[in-house]
């Protein structure tokens, strides 16, 4: 009989210390996309590596993950801040980052499974000291994946919430859910399994499907900034707003919908003192100041930051926004034109031929309310509807065009997507505005779309091309031989290629 006095050496290149050192050195200087792809490849190979002692395996995974982090940050910067990227290039960055986050979560989960199957093995015993770090990184990978899905308005699947919930409860049972540690060598601050789980819950309940990708990133950093002030408890408190059942692996929900039954995985949370701190920050930013302690990953002007802060204030409140109008199911086809130019043409009376070549998209209404509707459409191709886009819409068989804006987008399986549309006007009219000043410039007309529904007396709401509003400018336009003279009041909203302004109508004399 031959006794195995010495453990068999793993048959894998990364088991050799010198080879691992060489590969890590090459990763540090590689192009970001190549480095991330290479690390994903190594993760794939390590899933099937035999004879790796568990503590050694985790150490190799940890070092590969460390080396990939600066490259992942570079991909995120390129995705969010490179306006000249093509749709295909942007899709590749997104897919590459999501693939990494999914793969690193898988290999970390495999380490946990190996420790469970062989709890008394030498590698498992030595690995125990690293379990808090592994669990925190696993939560962080899931949390970051949630953010990348939000960049493209794709819903997180049950598998993601199950991983987050199970990891949190396992860490809590092991007594290290609250243990603070440094997540990555170059990352400032400390984190824990519980903090990463709470971050994911707050992010999801902050309704980021109503934000643009860069605003999603800013919201994520603001959540991290205020996270320590949130209230997270196993008990339902008077100020609790949301709940989650970590044991069921489900997504969080408002307390307006009560949990069905008591469960050891039930947790409740609310903004608590974070809401007061957020209010204080809003007042500071409204004065034109941005604290140096606020890490947003870049410098943003007041007008860019304030909408995100105000959005978070709505969803962190003790009473988050409620639907003002009841929805009614309705199934019918609608034609959709996107953008200011198309809308201006329609409301000038020049109704286009309803063909895809003319820029018309087809959608199916799912339900309607007094303030808007929800519709499903084909999201394939380059003419996909963008969040915040100005939309001109007509129901099948109807003769009236509506003007609205895309407020929410949720991607569905395949090439389908669902949009939530706010109606801006059921009666709109294209007009030509002229500055009331002497000189050549006064002859240059500014196209506008007059929103004729309701409103305040002597106040007109007009949609203008992006960048046209000037609070110092007095404008006029003619309608049915009547001259309207307008004094600028304020810019109400700014979209992709348009802005909505409010004007006071004064006497034409």
């Amino acid at each position: 009989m031959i006794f195995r006095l010495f453990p068999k050496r793993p048959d894998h290149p990364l088991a050799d210390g010198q080879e691992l050192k060489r590969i890590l050195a090459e990763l540090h200087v590689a192009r970001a996309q190549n480095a991330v792809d290479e690390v994903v490849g190594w993760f794939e190979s390590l899933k099937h590596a035999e004879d790796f002692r568990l503590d050694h395996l985790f150490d190799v995974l940890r070092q590969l993950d460390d080396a990939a982090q600066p490259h992942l940050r570079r991909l995120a910067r390129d995705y969010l801040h490179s306006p000249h990227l093509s749709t295909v290039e942007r899709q590749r960055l997104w897919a590459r980052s999501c693939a990494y986050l999914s793969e690193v979560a898988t290999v970390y989960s495999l380490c946990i499974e190996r420790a469970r199957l062989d709890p008394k093995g030498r590698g498992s015993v030595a690995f125990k000291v690293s379990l808090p770090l592994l669990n925190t990184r696993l939560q962080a990978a899931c949390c970051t994946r949630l953010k990348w899905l939000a960049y493209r308005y794709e819903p997180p699947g049950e598998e993601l919430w199950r991983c987050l919930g199970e990891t949190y409860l396992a860490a809590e049972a092991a007594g290290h859910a609250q243990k603070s540690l440094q997540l990555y060598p170059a990352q400032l601050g400390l984190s824990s399994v519980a903090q990463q789980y709470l971050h994911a819950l707050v992010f999801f309940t902050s309704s980021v499907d109503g934000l643009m990708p860069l605003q999603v990133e800013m919201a994520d950093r603001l959540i991290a900034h205020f996270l320590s002030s949130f209230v997270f408890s196993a008990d339902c408190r008077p100020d609790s707003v949301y709940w989650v059942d970590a044991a069921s692996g489900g997504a969080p929900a408002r307390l307006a919908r009560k949990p069905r039954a008591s469960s050891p995985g039930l947790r409740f949370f609310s903004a608590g003192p974070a809401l007061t701190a957020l209010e204080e920050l809003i007042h500071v930013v409204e004065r034109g100041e941005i604290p140096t302690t606020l890490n947003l990953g870049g410098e943003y002007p007041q007008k860019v930051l304030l909408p995100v802060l105000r959005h978070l204030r709505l969803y962190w409140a003790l009473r988050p926004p409620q639907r003002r109008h009841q929805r009614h199911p309705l199934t019918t086809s609608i034609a959709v034109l996107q953008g200011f130019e198309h809308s201006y043409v329609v409301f000038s009376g020049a109704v286009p031929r309803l063909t895809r070549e003319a820029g018309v998209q087809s959608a199916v209404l799912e339900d309607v309310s007094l303030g808007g509707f929800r519709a499903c459409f084909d999201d394939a191709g380059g003419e996909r509807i963008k969040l915040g886009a100005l939309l001109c819409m007509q129901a099948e068989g109807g003769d009236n065009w509506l003007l609205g804006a895309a407020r929410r987008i949720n991607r569905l399986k395949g090439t389908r997507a669902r949009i939530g549309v706010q109606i801006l006007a059921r009666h709109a009219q294209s007009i030509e505005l002229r500055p009331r000043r002497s000189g050549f410039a006064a002859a240059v007309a500014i196209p506008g779309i007059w929103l004729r529904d309701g409103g305040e007396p002597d106040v007109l709401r007009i949609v203008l091309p992006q960048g046209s509003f000037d609070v110092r400018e007095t404008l006029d336009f003619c309608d049915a031989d009547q001259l309207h003279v307008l004094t600028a009041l304020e810019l109400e909203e700014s979209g992709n290629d348009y802005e909505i302004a409010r004007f006071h109508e004064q006497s034409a004399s």
Side-chain angles (χ1 to χ4, degrees):
M1 179 181 293
I2 300 175
F3 292 95
R4 189 173 177 182
L5 300 177
F6 302 99
K8 182 180 178 182
R9 183 177 177 178
D11 185 21
H12 193 281
L14 298 183
D16 181 87
Q18 290 299 317
E19 182 67 6
L20 174 61
K21 187 176 180 180
R22 182 190 68 79
I23 288 171
L24 291 172
E26 290 180 353
L27 285 173
H28 282 299
V29 297
R31 290 181 65 245
Q33 299 185 29
N34 295 342
V36 170
D37 287 345
E38 186 174 347
V39 174
V40 168
W42 285 122
F43 285 159
E44 283 279 0
S45 68
L46 286 166
K47 287 192 295 189
H48 311 290
E50 298 181 357
D51 299 313
F52 245 117
R53 224 175 80 167
L54 182 54
D55 56 330
H56 294 164
L57 174 62
F58 173 67
D59 188 55
V60 171
L61 294 174
R62 177 189 60 78
Q63 293 184 68
L64 287 169
D65 193 13
D66 289 347
Q69 291 306 305
H71 299 300
L72 290 168
R73 290 193 292 270
R74 176 58 187 270
L75 295 187
R77 285 197 301 271
D78 289 347
Y79 184 86
L80 294 169
H81 299 286
S82 299
H84 302 300
L85 283 178
S86 68
T87 301
V88 172
E89 290 171 326
R90 196 174 299 278
Q91 168 63 18
R92 286 175 181 165
L93 288 176
W94 184 87
R96 184 173 276 111
S97 297
C98 286
Y100 179 91
L101 294 165
S102 178
E103 203 62 38
V104 74
T106 298
V107 291
Y108 282 153
S109 296
L110 287 175
C111 288
I112 296 173
E113 181 64 12
R114 279 189 54 178
R116 187 187 67 81
L117 293 173
D118 184 22
K120 296 184 179 179
R122 289 181 61 192
S124 297
V125 172
F127 167 70
K128 282 184 179 178
V129 70
S130 300
L131 189 56
L133 176 61
L134 180 145
N135 278 333
T136 309
R137 286 196 178 190
L138 176 54
Q139 292 288 77
C142 291
C143 193
T144 306
R145 189 173 164 211
L146 189 66
K147 179 175 67 173
W148 275 90
L149 290 171
Y151 287 157
R152 288 177 56 82
Y153 312 106
E154 299 205 1
E158 292 181 4
E159 156 264 329
L160 187 60
W161 287 116
R162 188 180 304 111
C163 182
L164 283 162
E166 289 178 354
T167 305
Y168 165 71
L169 291 178
E172 194 175 64
H176 62 253
Q178 304 291 342
K179 183 176 181 179
S180 296
L181 45 80
Q182 188 175 21
L183 197 57
Y184 290 100
Q187 187 165 320
L188 299 176
L190 303 176
S191 188
S192 69
V193 173
Q195 280 186 313
Q196 289 293 332
Y197 186 43
L198 179 58
H199 189 129
L201 299 175
V202 174
F203 182 87
F204 183 79
T205 53
S206 293
S207 198
V208 296
D209 58 347
L211 299 175
M212 302 292 285
L214 184 58
Q215 292 177 316
V216 170
E217 172 67 16
M218 293 168 67
D220 183 69
R221 288 178 176 268
L222 287 164
I223 290 168
H225 181 79
F226 290 110
L227 193 64
S228 61
S229 297
F230 273 77
V231 177
F232 185 55
S233 170
D235 302 315
C236 185
R237 297 159 43 110
D239 61 346
S240 296
V241 180
Y242 299 97
W243 64 274
V244 66
D245 186 354
S248 73
R254 288 184 187 176
L255 270 170
R257 178 169 67 87
K258 302 289 184 182
R260 290 186 178 179
S262 179
S263 162
L266 274 180
R267 296 295 182 272
F268 303 86
F269 62 100
S270 66
L275 181 59
T276 303
L278 177 65
E279 289 278 10
E280 292 172 355
L281 177 59
I282 290 174
H283 295 323
V284 169
V285 175
E286 285 175 338
R287 295 197 302 266
E289 306 170 21
I290 298 180
T292 56
T293 55
L294 189 62
N295 177 18
L296 297 175
E299 295 184 3
Y300 300 100
Q302 176 197 51
K303 67 178 182 178
V304 173
L305 178 56
L306 272 176
V308 182
L309 292 170
R310 290 167 178 162
H311 175 92
L312 294 178
R313 178 172 60 186
L314 284 174
Y315 291 93
W316 293 3
L318 285 175
R319 292 187 176 182
Q322 302 291 325
R323 192 170 306 284
R324 290 186 297 172
H325 308 293
Q326 185 177 357
R327 283 179 172 177
H328 303 280
L330 176 66
T331 303
T332 188
S333 296
I334 58 170
V336 181
L337 281 162
Q338 181 177 190
F340 178 85
E341 288 189 14
H342 279 134
S343 301
Y344 183 81
V345 170
V346 168
F347 290 110
S348 297
V351 179
R353 291 180 59 198
L354 300 183
T355 63
R356 182 164 288 276
E357 289 74 18
V360 175
Q361 293 175 262
S362 178
V364 178
L365 279 180
E366 295 184 335
D367 56 51
V368 298
S369 70
L370 190 60
F373 60 83
R374 186 169 59 179
C376 193
F377 68 103
D378 190 346
D379 196 39
E383 286 299 315
R384 58 175 43 176
I385 294 176
K386 300 177 176 63
L387 186 70
L390 194 66
L391 303 177
C392 189
M393 301 151 292
Q394 185 184 68
E396 185 178 40
D399 56 3
N400 183 48
W401 287 84
L402 308 177
L403 190 66
R407 297 304 190 199
R408 298 189 182 281
I409 298 181
N410 298 107
R411 311 261 180 231
L412 306 175
K413 289 184 179 180
T415 62
R416 306 292 289 170
R418 180 176 288 123
I419 57 171
V421 178
Q422 178 191 5
I423 298 297
L424 298 175
R426 288 176 168 79
H427 303 283
Q429 176 183 336
S430 294
I431 56 176
E432 290 190 349
L433 299 148
R434 296 185 181 275
R436 289 177 67 84
R437 60 175 183 260
S438 60
F440 176 76
V444 179
I446 302 171
I449 303 174
W450 180 10
L451 308 180
R452 305 199 62 164
D453 291 9
E456 306 168 52
D458 300 324
V459 174
L460 274 61
R461 295 172 67 233
I462 299 176
V463 185
L464 302 168
Q466 180 72 42
S468 299
F469 179 74
D470 187 344
V471 72
R472 300 164 299 182
E473 195 85 75
T474 300
L475 305 171
D476 66 40
F477 71 94
C478 286
D479 173 49
D481 297 326
Q482 180 182 353
L483 180 65
H484 299 263
V485 181
L486 309 178
T487 302
L489 291 177
E490 64 176 351
L491 186 64
E492 183 179 296
E493 177 185 346
S494 185
N496 299 325
D497 63 346
Y498 69 95
E499 50 197 28
I500 302 176
R502 296 172 70 247
F503 296 87
H504 173 70
E505 184 175 9
Q506 61 187 29
S507 172
S509 58

